[in-house]
Amino acid sequence: MVLRLYSHPYSGYGQKTAVALYELDLPFELKLIQHEDAAVMAEFRAVSPFAKMPALVDTGANRTLFESSIVIEYLDRLAGGGRLIPADPDVALEARLVDRIVDTYAGGPMNRIVFGGFRPEDQRDPYGKAEEEAVLARCWDQLEERLSDGRTWGAGESFTLADCCAAPILTYGRRLVPLGDRPLLKAWHGRLRARPSFVRALKDAAPFGDLMPAPPAED
């Protein structure tokens, strides 16, 4: 079996999947997505119909998957199940819900703000940017509220899909909208940043420099 991951180490969703692979101790081959590499880009578009990172190919099973949450569900099952997708159905549901909250209401606005900043000055949308920032702030509020039950990780006392997702997205998203006066969210993010699997994913990204067009978080 060879797991081939089409991604870039600086990609938030690529990091999300790399964290899962490291948590599950699953070896993989990285196919580095770089637009100037025509051959790799052709391979990538063949396995990822929307050309979005990451995509995973399991050569042993002849399976191709895209969308990071689905990829992680598959990886958890491949590793024996019950770790990143908890065996307890209620905890699994919470893990999936927090994953969706972070992906949709933090990751989505974050990407739209970043890509909007690459537009020519006269084509930018300040009103749309303010709306996206407001959604991000509401996401931070929702996460702070969910953490108020005393949980250690995103869905409870075990590290799950929710944490794989939150580690990179909070790291990047707080550079656009600070976490502010949300102590539980800050503490969770501190635990995520110290998690060995995420430390390893950040180390993978380090050689590429700081590609995020926003200053480091200071809150």
Side-chain angles (χ1 to χ4, degrees):
M1 176 188 73
V2 174
L3 295 176
R4 187 172 296 134
L5 182 68
Y6 289 82
S7 186
H8 190 287
Y10 206 87
S11 158
Y13 294 113
Q15 286 182 17
K16 171 182 171 179
T17 305
V19 167
L21 285 158
Y22 292 142
E23 284 285 330
L24 298 170
D25 197 26
L26 291 171
F28 67 97
E29 171 193 334
L30 175 66
K31 297 289 285 189
L32 182 64
I33 300 303
Q34 297 189 101
H35 290 283
E36 60 271 20
D37 189 331
V40 169
M41 290 306 296
E43 285 182 38
F44 176 50
R45 292 189 179 98
V47 298
S48 181
F50 300 99
K52 298 292 185 181
M53 296 181 278
L56 181 83
V57 176
D58 181 347
T59 60
N62 195 28
R63 291 290 301 273
T64 298
L65 300 105
F66 55 95
E67 286 297 321
S68 57
S69 300
I70 301 302
V71 169
I72 291 173
E73 293 245 8
Y74 180 76
L75 293 173
D76 188 69
R77 189 174 70 190
L78 197 64
R83 290 180 56 186
L84 300 180
I85 309 300
D88 183 309
D90 290 332
V91 182
L93 191 64
E94 181 70 6
R96 291 185 177 100
L97 176 58
V98 173
D99 170 74
R100 292 294 81 223
I101 290 171
V102 175
D103 257 11
T104 305
Y105 303 109
M110 178 188 78
N111 284 332
R112 288 188 288 271
I113 292 169
V114 168
F115 292 132
F118 292 133
R119 295 176 182 171
E121 189 72 39
D122 62 349
Q123 295 180 26
R124 295 180 186 177
D125 178 10
Y127 179 80
K129 180 174 180 284
E131 284 192 319
E132 301 289 9
E133 290 171 343
V135 172
L136 254 173
R138 289 198 297 276
C139 180
W140 297 162
D141 288 339
Q142 171 60 207
L143 294 172
E144 180 77 6
E145 181 180 336
R146 301 194 85 79
L147 291 162
S148 67
D149 63 4
R151 66 185 69 178
T152 300
W153 298 107
E157 295 311 301
S158 62
F159 189 97
T160 68
L161 165 69
D163 303 287
C164 296
C165 178
I169 301 303
L170 265 67
T171 299
Y172 289 147
R174 70 184 298 184
R175 295 174 68 162
L176 301 173
V177 174
L179 301 185
D181 186 21
R182 301 177 180 91
L184 301 176
L185 185 55
K186 286 182 176 179
W188 178 36
H189 187 226
R191 292 189 290 275
L192 291 169
R193 290 177 64 185
R195 187 78 175 186
S197 56
F198 187 47
V199 171
R200 192 171 172 185
L202 290 176
K203 186 177 180 180
D204 293 343
F208 297 93
D210 188 349
L211 305 179
M212 179 73 172
E218 296 182 356
D219 67 319

